[in-house]
Structures are given as structure tokens and as C-alpha cells.
Amino acid sequence: MSHSQHPNGNGVINPEPISNIPNGNSKQSLKIFIGYDPKEDVAYEVCRHSLLKRSSIPIEIFPIKQSEMREKGIYWRERGKLESTEFSFSRFLTPYLANYEGWAMFVDCDFLYLDDIKKLVDLVDDKYAIMCVQHDYAPKETTKMDGAVQTVYPRKNWSSMVLYNCGHPKNKVLTPEVVNKESGAFLHRFQWLSDDEIGEVPFVWNFLVGHNKVVEGDENTFPKAIHYTLGGPWFEQWKDCEFGDLWLNELDEYNKESQKK
């Protein structure tokens, strides 16, 4: 069974392993790779559910699981002390995992989608190698989520949700060898690209809880994808965070649908 969601489709389909990624035979589908961490399994499931539920275009969703990457011999770097999740670096394998074809998206698991992903896809421009929300963000907090150290660096949070033009010549640089050896600065700051190869999408597609603000009456500030970057309601201490009720409602819906299976 293909893990696709088509217009008018329903239900939630279990994710296929990375090895089942189609080899260029489903170009009509947008491939979406979600960073997966065993500590945040439920965040992954809710993020995935929120995408599938609202999408009016065919999408295929794949978890980037570090254990699978290691088994397949495409990820071998040691985990550094500043890596707050298992997908801190494996995220940059997205163009490789998409066979360097078409557009694909990477997103952290701590997102909740509130709108149709087609509206984001409609913004893509082939002249760019990647497109993302270009936050000007310096977190005040020194720790995040489960006590992981909060690091501050240029282009902070840009890499948490990226549309990759996987066939762009510059993105062929992102081989497993490069992803496993290059520095955090090189990867998270997109140093394989020049500035004019990085396109921008509206901040509402990576709305940072605790940083971005909704302006009453201004629809351009209403979040389309909420990013619980400091910690989400799946952590006990963040149960009452801003927009936490929306995530908990989505969780309830996901659980109800899972029980019907």
C-alpha cells in the first residue's frame, strides 16, 4: 500500500520505511520528510495527522528515523552534545532521500498544520534551491523541551521547515558523506548556497510559539503551521503553552481515528 493521501482521501495510514520511498514514479505527490525522535513519537503522529487531514493534493509522508538511517549506512556521525533531537543533522538528507528530484519538504515533528499544504506548495519558485521562513530569532530561554540546551546561531530555526528544490544542482552537494562530516554552521546556515538561492515564505508557515504574534484582524499573521519550538503539550511542563489546546484537540482526533482501525 502506498503511503499517500489523495484529495477526498481519509484515514491515517501507517508510515512506510524509508526504503520504500518511490524512485521517481510518483512525481505528482509532494514528499514530506518529518524529523522523528523516539522521545516525541506522539508529536510526529499528530504533525502527520494534521498534514494528511488538511491536504487537498497528494502527499507522501516519511519519518526520518536515525536508527533506520544508520542501518542503511547513510548516517553515521556521532551525536554531539548540542543536538537536541535525533534529526538535528539527518534532516539535510532530504534531497538525497527524494532522489534529487522535484520539490520535497522537511519539517520538524513539533509542528501542527492548520491549513492546506497546497497553499505553501503554490508559493514555490524553481529559481530557488530552497525556500523557508527567514526568522530573525534569538531565543531568551537557555533550555528547551526536555531540558536540552538552547543554542543561538545565525539563521536560527530556518532549517526547521524547508522546501527543497531537490533537482537544483547546488543541492546535489548534500550527499550522505557531506551531511555526516560537515559542521552545524555549514548545514543549518545553508552555507552550500548563496543568499539569492534561498527563497522566503511567510512566517505563518513556521509560526514560532512564544516569538511570533497574532495581530487581531490581520489575517496575514494568523498561523498556518504552529511550531512549538520551546516545547509542546506532549511534554508535561508545556501542557498549558500557547496554542496547546489546538494540539491537544488534534491529538484527540488522531486517537479516535486510531481506535477505529
Side-chain angles (χ1 to χ4, degrees):
M1 180 186 291
S2 172
H3 178 198
S4 299
Q5 172 75 8
H6 292 273
N8 306 319
N10 52 45
V12 178
I13 305 161
N14 288 328
E16 292 180 339
I18 291 290
S19 56
N20 289 352
I21 290 174
N23 215 339
N25 58 5
S26 64
K27 291 182 180 173
Q28 300 312 305
S29 299
L30 173 71
K31 297 184 184 74
I32 299 175
F33 297 88
I34 301 179
Y36 181 89
D37 193 301
K39 290 183 302 187
E40 299 182 75
D41 175 78
V42 70
Y44 163 79
E45 294 291 357
V46 170
C47 176
R48 177 172 157 274
H49 180 272
S50 71
L51 279 160
L52 289 167
K53 172 186 165 184
R54 294 168 178 83
S55 182
S56 66
I57 58 172
I59 60 176
E60 297 175 286
I61 298 179
F62 307 96
I64 292 190
K65 293 188 175 182
Q66 192 180 118
S67 57
E68 285 184 11
M69 303 285 117
R70 290 187 184 280
E71 282 169 24
K72 290 175 173 49
I74 57 176
Y75 193 77
W76 57 85
R77 73 186 293 159
E78 287 182 27
R79 184 165 177 173
K81 290 177 183 172
L82 296 179
E83 291 177 49
S84 59
T85 66
E86 284 200 0
F87 48 86
S88 292
F89 289 110
S90 56
R91 71 184 69 214
F92 298 104
L93 290 168
T94 294
Y96 170 84
L97 294 170
N99 303 305
Y100 301 108
E101 293 177 349
W103 283 84
M105 184 173 88
F106 171 84
V107 64
D108 285 2
C109 65
D110 55 356
F111 272 66
L112 176 71
Y113 281 82
L114 303 179
D115 209 339
D116 186 351
I117 198 67
K118 179 185 184 296
K119 295 179 183 177
L120 179 59
V121 173
D122 286 345
L123 301 177
V124 302
D125 187 331
D126 288 336
K127 75 179 181 183
Y128 296 116
I130 66 167
M131 298 183 73
C132 65
V133 175
Q134 299 183 10
H135 290 294
D136 179 15
Y137 175 61
K140 303 178 194 70
E141 298 78 9
T142 55
T143 58
K144 59 197 279 192
M145 297 193 198
D146 53 348
V149 175
Q150 177 73 270
T151 53
V152 179
Y153 50 85
R155 296 182 170 174
K156 174 83 176 173
N157 261 312
W158 288 26
S159 63
S160 57
M161 194 282 295
V162 180
L163 288 157
Y164 285 92
N165 184 358
C166 300
H168 192 284
K170 285 282 195 81
N171 286 332
K172 291 191 166 58
V173 166
L174 294 178
T175 60
E177 289 70 29
V178 165
V179 172
N180 278 282
K181 75 167 199 270
E182 274 294 353
S183 67
F186 178 86
L187 294 167
H188 285 282
R189 298 179 203 170
F190 310 128
Q191 288 179 347
W192 71 94
L193 301 173
S194 58
D195 289 353
D196 63 359
E197 291 165 330
I198 304 172
E200 187 168 8
V201 297
F203 78 92
V204 289
W205 288 103
N206 186 346
F207 189 103
L208 301 176
V209 175
H211 174 69
N212 293 126
K213 300 294 176 203
V214 174
V215 177
E216 196 173 342
D218 182 358
E219 288 192 11
N220 291 325
T221 67
F222 296 177
K224 295 181 182 296
I226 293 173
H227 184 187
Y228 301 91
T229 181
L230 298 172
W234 54 96
F235 292 120
E236 191 58 41
Q237 66 270 38
W238 292 97
K239 278 277 192 289
D240 300 319
C241 69
E242 189 181 13
F243 302 111
D245 56 331
L246 297 180
W247 189 92
L248 291 167
N249 291 342
E250 194 86 18
L251 174 65
D252 284 345
E253 217 173 271
Y254 162 73
N255 284 334
K256 282 173 188 163
E257 289 184 19
S258 299
Q259 285 162 13
K260 287 178 191 169
K261 287 191 246 175

